Amino acid sequence: MNEPAIPLSQVKLFGSRFARPECVLATAAGDVFASDRRGGVSHVLPHGEHRLYVGATLDLAEAFHPNGIALQQDGSFLGAHLGMHEGGLFRLTRDGQLTPVLREVDGETLPSTNFVVLDSKPGRVWITVSTRRTPRMGAFTRAVQDGFIILLDEKGARIVADGLCFANECRVDPTGTWLYVNETYKRELTRFRIGADGSLSGRETVTQFGPGEFPDGLVFDAEGGAWVTTIVANRVLRVARDGSVAVMLEEHHPEHVEEVERAYQAGLVDRSLLDHARARILANVSSMAFCGPDLRTGLFGVLLADRLPTAPLPFTGAAPPHWTWR
């Protein structure tokens, strides 16, 4: 494995009091948003004030647990509910109103729902469900391939890709041609060609990852490089258009990776192994956003810390659809 492009010494920690900030977003104005396990979204304003937006609804039998979040133009959020026994997509306003957007698709009640992201095409939303198994920990193996991708647009919601091995974050590439998705326990980055009607076809493996590299977060730079955050190995990787992989940042603990790798090969990965990573800065790095006025700073979501790592980057990010919103 080649040396990281960004030394760990250049990482700084941002904010405080985050609670399992799995998914992070940033805007041109300097706002930072993170999903929050307390039932909503944490917001750090440009001047440093920290706000927490939470909501509850009788439509859920358990507390709202947003995993992936997406900022809407009106300032509300879409949140993928990562419930133990149920899932779905919900809309959260900043005054605490929580309403269901999607509870079933193609006749299936949605199980624990992982991620939601906006397309640059207005009104088009992509959603991932990692597995149909309940609880989802039963799918922490490459032997289970029942995850799927949902497209929600003006025609409604429908499953557009199925048979994925723990579908995690997905993202449309800067050309608008491909939808990329991380298959976490297959340890692959996969892509589909997007049709004019939003259909997906031509499934391809972009690259396969190595020991301990379980892909979670996904974002693109302006050159079309896919940045993938990997839990366990605690690496941030850049996958070039040709599929070649470069280590951009890491906080690697070989002993922990070896322990998880043995369990993975035996089909015995469980939550306790994932929740005891030794990294303290990139503490199970789970997502990434480009931020700063020039989109040359990385902001990272983490599963096991209450502060967000940030680092200067050698590439400029592709501006997300919500970049100019607040």
Side-chain angles (χ1 to χ4, degrees), residues 125-146:
V125 178
W126 304 92
I127 305 154
T128 63
V129 173
S130 297
T131 177
R132 291 175 169 87
R133 294 205 175 186
T134 301
R136 66 185 185 281
M137 284 76 78
F140 289 2
T141 168
R142 58 190 166 193
V144 177
Q145 300 187 23
D146 64 351

Side-chain angles (χ1 to χ4, degrees), residues 218-232:
L218 173 64
V219 69
F220 283 94
D221 61 40
E223 297 181 17
W227 293 61
V228 176
T229 65
T230 66
I231 59 171
V232 180

Side-chain angles (χ1 to χ4, degrees), residues 174-249:
T175 70
T177 305
W178 300 94
L179 183 80
Y180 285 63
V181 60
N182 281 325
E183 296 190 71
T184 300
Y185 291 101
K186 198 177 181 183
R187 295 203 299 214
E188 291 185 0
L189 177 60
T190 299
R191 71 178 185 177
F192 297 86
R193 186 174 293 276
I194 304 172
D197 60 353
S199 59
L200 300 180
S201 62
R203 179 175 177 172
E204 298 180 3
T205 298
V206 179
T207 195
Q208 296 179 322
F209 300 103
E213 295 174 345
F214 295 89
D216 194 333
L218 173 64
V219 69
F220 283 94
D221 61 40
E223 297 181 17
W227 293 61
V228 176
T229 65
T230 66
I231 59 171
V232 180
N234 283 294
R235 287 190 175 115
V236 179
L237 308 173
R238 182 181 186 268
V239 183
R241 288 179 180 273
D242 63 3
S244 59
V245 180
V247 180
M248 305 308 295
L249 181 64

